[in-house]
């Protein structure tokens, strides 16, 4: 099967649609394909598949491709994997260079003048022989398949902000207004971004899975040489941790706090020792705004009485309201009521004082986000059970909102999709901020993302990125024209956007790869043994970073 579209954004009459590591642009008027941008790693994976095919290994899964970059490669660290006998022999002969760190990981030491390291001797004892010869085993780098995780455009349509999760990179593209994009900047973040929003002052507000929120200038670029006038990294030297035992409650973060205190104590004792090698810092303008003690999952920007705010949701059921730059350290309040993770939040157009949130709970919530007061709630689970009575839980992965023109004025609609459920759920947000007229729009596949498309004097359209599944009967990109029937939404017309040449150029992937790459909302749910703030999620890499890195602790 082909990897489906998973992120969408509309700018005027242009649709930006991401699938895997590519961005395709389409004309919304006639559905024609305009242009394609692809991540450099897309070509890397494609070349690796070609090499395997030429070597007669057509059955090797794409997820297990072995790629060894050159020593001067600027690719980020990737997973390690054992090679076959032939590949190990090639690496040993020098035809496939293996980084020293990779060799050490397997227990073998690099050959330095014929001297054998202790790790190699120990590894020799455990190696099995085959046909009287010693079996050589080593490891190599295996790149993650590139996936675009976020895609947002500026209000004027002149720029596009893209996040690729596997390499923790924020890309900014110039848009000519006709569907052609060109790269303006590329910035690799300290931790993997998990949510993004664009501020009215040309700032990229980015939340990450480590619990921090950063600000970057939209049109900022990487410095060739760091300026001496101001530090580039948000970190600052401290004599004591910012957090303490009263602000940290989970066992994981208590351990991180203890490790941070030990590190600072040792640093104080060894002032006379030679300075340790500095860790590489981001060489671009970046400002740390605020931090949670849990993985951030949702982000929105609000405004009230002329003052701007940052609204953040996390895996630990919290929605926090903080002031905007330059007072982002000031916490204005919390919206507390979720019992499960917060999956997404949205501030509806025309109702700036209201925040709608959803996630692992059975309900959607409507808040007066400034005061933290719960206004109303409605059941998502009951709608899901109308489709399948066996459904016992829902995981809201995305929320959207738009205005529908009616004779009585513009009605506000809230749309929600839940992971693994073939439907769009919709409600009308009434004047008293309650959810009215629930409806279900059934889909031919699993929805991955939604975005509204507005046009003058016409009913709104919703564009959906859908996973058609292994059968591949449905198309991945749909444009739904909506109609309002007594306050309930239904589909008047469903048009698929499809280009055969684009489809043919995509690499085949397994259904397991699609689930691993694109279905990550339900994994935020905590199960037995995971309690309290900051409990590790199924995201092994980030959870492990949070436990080992003392910087995981911050004031909430």
């Amino acid at each position: 099967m082909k990897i489906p579209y998973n992120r969408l954004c509309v700018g005027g009459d242009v649709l930006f649609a991401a699938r895997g590591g590519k961005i395709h642009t389409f004309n919304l008027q006639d559905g024609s394909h305009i242009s394609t941008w692809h991540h450099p790693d897309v070509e890397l994976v494609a070349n690796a598949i070609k090499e395997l095919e030429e070597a007669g290994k057509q059955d090797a899964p794409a997820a297990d491709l072995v790629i060894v970059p050159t020593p001067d490669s600027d690719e980020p660290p990737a997973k390690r994997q054992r090679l076959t006998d032939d590949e190990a022999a090639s690496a040993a002969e020098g035809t496939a260079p293996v980084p020293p760190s990779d060799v050490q990981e397997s227990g073998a030491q690099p050959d330095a003048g014929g001297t054998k390291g202790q790790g190699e001797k120990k590894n020799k004892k455990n190696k099995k022989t085959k046909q009287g010869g010693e079996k050589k085993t080593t490891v190599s780098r295996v790149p993650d398949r590139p996936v675009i995780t976020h895609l947002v455009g500026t209000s004027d349509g002149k720029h596009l902000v893209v996040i690729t999760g596997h390499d923790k990179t924020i890309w900014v593209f110039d848009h000519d207004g006709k569907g052609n994009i060109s790269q303006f900047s590329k910035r690799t973040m300290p931790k993997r971004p998990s949510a993004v929003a664009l501020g009215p002052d040309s700032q990229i507000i980015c939340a990450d899975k480590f619990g921090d929120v950063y600000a970057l200038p939209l049109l900022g670029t990487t410095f060739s040489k760091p300026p001496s006038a101001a530090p580039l990294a948000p970190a600052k030297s401290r004599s004591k941790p910012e957090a303490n035992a009263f602000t940290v409650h989970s066992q994981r973060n208590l351990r991180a706090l203890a490790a941070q205190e030990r590190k600072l104590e040792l640093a104080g004792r060894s002032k006379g020792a030679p300075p340790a090698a500095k860790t590489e810092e981001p060489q671009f303008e970046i400002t740390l705004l605020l931090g949670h003690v849990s993985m951030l999952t949702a982000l929105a920007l609000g405004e009230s009485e002329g003052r701007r705010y940052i609204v953040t949701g996390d895996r630990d059921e919290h929605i926090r309201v903080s002031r905007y730059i330059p007072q982002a350290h000031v916490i204005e309040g919390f919206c507390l009521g979720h019992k499960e993770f917060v999956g997404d939040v949205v501030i509806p157009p025309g109702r700036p004082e209201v925040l709608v949130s959803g996630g692992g709970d059975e309900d959607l919530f409507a808040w007066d986000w400034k005061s933290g007061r719960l206004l109303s709630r409605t059941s998502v689970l009951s709608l899901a059970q109308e489709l399948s009575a066996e459904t016992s839980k829902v995981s809201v992965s995305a929320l959207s909102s738009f205005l529908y023109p009616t004779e009585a004025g513009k009605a506000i609609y809230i749309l929600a999709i839940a992971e693994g459920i073939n439907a769009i759920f919709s409600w009308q947000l009434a004047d008293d901020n309650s959810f009215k007229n629930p409806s279900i729009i059934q889909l031919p596949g699993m929805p991955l993302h939604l975005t509204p498309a507005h046009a003058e004097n016409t009913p709104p359209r919703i564009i959906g990125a859908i996973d058609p599944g292994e059968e591949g009967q449905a198309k991945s990109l749909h444009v739904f024209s909506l109609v309002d029937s007594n306050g309930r939404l239904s589909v008047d017309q469903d048009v698929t956007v499809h280009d055969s040449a684009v489809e043919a150029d995509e690499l085949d992937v397994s259904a397991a790869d699609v689930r691993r790459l694109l279905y990550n909302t339900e994994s935020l749910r905590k199960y037995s043994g995971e309690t309290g703030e900051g409990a590790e999620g199924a995201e092994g890499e980030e959870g492990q970073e949070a436990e080992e890195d003392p910087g995981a602790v911050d004031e909430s």
Side-chain angles (χ1 to χ4, degrees):
M1 64 179 293
K2 306 293 186 181
I3 191 167
Y5 291 96
N6 65 295
R7 281 287 165 176
L8 306 170
C9 178
V10 172
D13 290 332
V14 177
L15 169 65
F16 303 94
R19 63 189 305 173
K22 297 182 180 180
I23 301 173
H24 300 288
T25 61
F26 297 90
N27 187 322
L28 276 177
Q29 297 296 327
D30 56 15
S32 61
H33 180 259
I34 302 173
S35 66
T36 298
W37 173 88
H38 63 82
H39 192 287
D41 287 353
V42 171
E43 186 175 356
L44 190 67
V45 173
N47 291 338
I49 291 179
K50 183 178 179 180
E51 291 176 6
L52 288 180
E53 290 176 346
E54 292 175 352
K57 299 177 181 177
Q58 296 90 337
D59 296 333
D64 296 333
L65 298 179
V66 177
I67 301 175
V68 185
T70 56
D72 59 348
S73 171
D74 61 353
E75 296 299 322
K79 300 176 182 177
R80 297 180 173 90
Q81 177 178 323
R82 293 188 178 275
L83 302 178
T84 63
D85 293 344
D86 294 338
E87 291 161 344
S90 299
E93 292 170 4
T95 57
V98 179
S101 60
D102 290 348
V103 178
Q104 294 168 3
E105 180 73 16
S106 66
Q109 299 293 331
D111 187 7
T115 303
K116 297 181 179 180
Q118 184 177 0
E120 183 180 357
K121 294 179 181 179
K122 182 178 180 180
N123 194 42
K124 264 190 171 183
K125 296 178 182 179
N126 298 327
K127 290 181 180 177
K128 297 180 180 179
T129 59
K130 184 177 182 181
Q131 296 180 350
E134 181 181 314
K135 179 179 180 181
K136 296 181 180 180
T137 304
T138 184
V139 291
S140 179
R141 293 181 185 271
V142 180
D144 287 332
R145 185 181 291 275
V147 174
I148 293 168
T149 58
H150 296 82
L151 187 69
V152 295
T154 56
S155 58
D156 59 9
K158 294 182 179 180
H159 298 93
L160 190 70
V161 177
V162 176
I163 292 178
T164 47
H166 75 294
D167 56 1
K168 309 174 184 178
T169 299
I170 297 179
W171 309 73
V172 176
F173 295 90
D174 290 323
H175 178 221
D176 66 355
K178 301 178 181 179
N180 301 301
I181 59 175
S182 57
Q183 181 183 327
F184 175 80
S185 65
K186 171 187 175 183
R187 288 168 276 185
T188 301
M189 298 297 291
K191 301 296 177 183
R192 184 177 301 176
S194 57
V196 66
L198 298 182
D201 50 353
S202 297
Q203 291 285 320
I204 301 173
I205 309 300
C206 174
D208 65 26
K209 291 190 175 181
F210 208 55
D212 293 329
V213 177
Y214 294 95
L216 302 83
L218 175 67
L219 301 181
T221 56
T222 303
F223 298 120
S224 58
K225 184 177 181 180
S228 57
L232 296 176
K236 55 184 178 181
S237 59
R238 294 174 298 197
S239 58
K240 64 178 182 177
E242 293 182 0
N244 56 59
F246 297 101
T247 60
V248 175
H249 309 292
S250 69
Q251 291 297 322
R252 179 174 70 88
N253 281 290
L254 285 173
R255 291 194 299 270
L257 176 61
Q260 189 177 25
E261 291 173 339
R262 287 196 300 271
K263 181 178 179 181
L264 292 172
E265 182 181 357
L266 291 174
R269 293 178 181 176
S270 57
K271 287 184 178 179
K278 293 184 178 180
T279 57
E280 187 175 352
E281 297 176 345
Q283 300 302 298
F284 53 84
E285 186 178 348
I286 177 173
T287 304
L288 176 63
L289 300 180
L290 59 95
H292 286 226
V293 292
S294 176
M295 177 192 302
L296 287 172
T297 56
L299 174 68
L301 302 181
E303 184 171 350
S304 175
E305 299 177 349
R307 173 172 281 174
R308 298 170 186 163
Y309 298 86
I310 302 173
V311 182
T312 46
D314 64 27
R315 191 190 175 219
D316 283 341
E317 309 96 37
H318 298 144
I319 297 176
R320 183 201 295 184
V321 179
S322 307
R323 292 186 184 178
Y324 193 68
I325 305 170
Q327 294 180 312
H329 61 281
V330 178
I331 299 175
E332 193 73 19
F334 291 87
C335 299
L336 302 178
H338 281 272
K339 302 300 181 184
E340 295 286 349
F341 66 88
V342 179
D344 199 8
V345 297
V346 64
I347 297 177
R351 202 71 60 85
E353 72 279 4
V354 175
L355 176 81
V356 177
S357 64
D361 294 277
E362 298 180 6
D363 299 339
L364 284 191
F365 298 79
W367 308 88
D368 178 339
W369 56 266
K370 182 69 180 301
S371 65
R373 184 169 58 94
L374 179 63
L375 301 174
S376 64
R377 58 197 298 173
T378 187
S379 176
V380 184
L381 180 61
S382 62
L383 291 182
Q385 289 174 337
E386 292 184 23
L387 297 174
S388 174
E390 292 78 20
T391 304
S392 60
K393 58 186 176 181
V394 291
S395 297
V396 174
S397 56
L399 294 172
S400 184
S401 180
F402 64 89
L403 297 175
Y404 193 104
T406 65
E407 294 181 356
K410 292 185 177 180
I412 301 175
Y413 281 94
I414 306 295
L415 303 181
I417 58 175
E419 190 171 88
I421 299 177
N422 293 23
I424 301 173
F425 305 113
S426 72
W427 298 264
Q428 187 176 9
L429 190 65
D431 293 338
D432 61 356
N433 297 315
S434 61
F435 296 92
K436 301 293 186 182
N437 304 322
S439 61
I440 302 173
I441 300 173
Q442 291 189 267
L443 302 175
M446 303 289 186
L448 298 172
H449 195 230
L450 297 176
T451 188
H454 301 284
E456 290 293 333
N457 301 319
T458 60
R461 293 173 293 173
I462 292 294
I463 305 175
I466 294 174
D467 177 7
E470 293 185 81
E471 301 298 328
Q473 299 297 325
K475 302 304 180 184
S476 182
L477 205 53
H478 292 248
V479 180
F480 303 104
S481 296
L482 302 176
V483 60
D484 182 345
S485 302
N486 298 321
R488 299 178 186 272
L489 288 182
S490 59
V491 174
D492 181 51
Q493 188 178 17
D494 177 4
V495 178
T496 59
V497 178
H498 182 72
D499 188 282
S500 299
V502 170
E503 192 78 12
D505 193 44
E506 292 293 332
L507 295 174
D508 289 324
V509 296
S510 66
D513 279 345
V514 171
R515 293 205 63 83
R516 176 178 61 86
L517 294 170
L518 305 182
Y519 291 82
N520 46 34
T521 303
E522 177 60 31
S523 62
L524 296 173
R525 191 182 301 277
K526 297 176 185 175
Y527 295 95
S528 59
E530 290 186 279
T531 58
E533 296 183 0
E536 291 183 31
E539 298 287 343
E541 173 195 349
E542 298 297 337
Q544 195 173 33
E545 284 179 340
E547 182 168 335
E548 295 175 352
D549 194 325
V553 180
D554 201 349
E555 292 180 324
S556 62

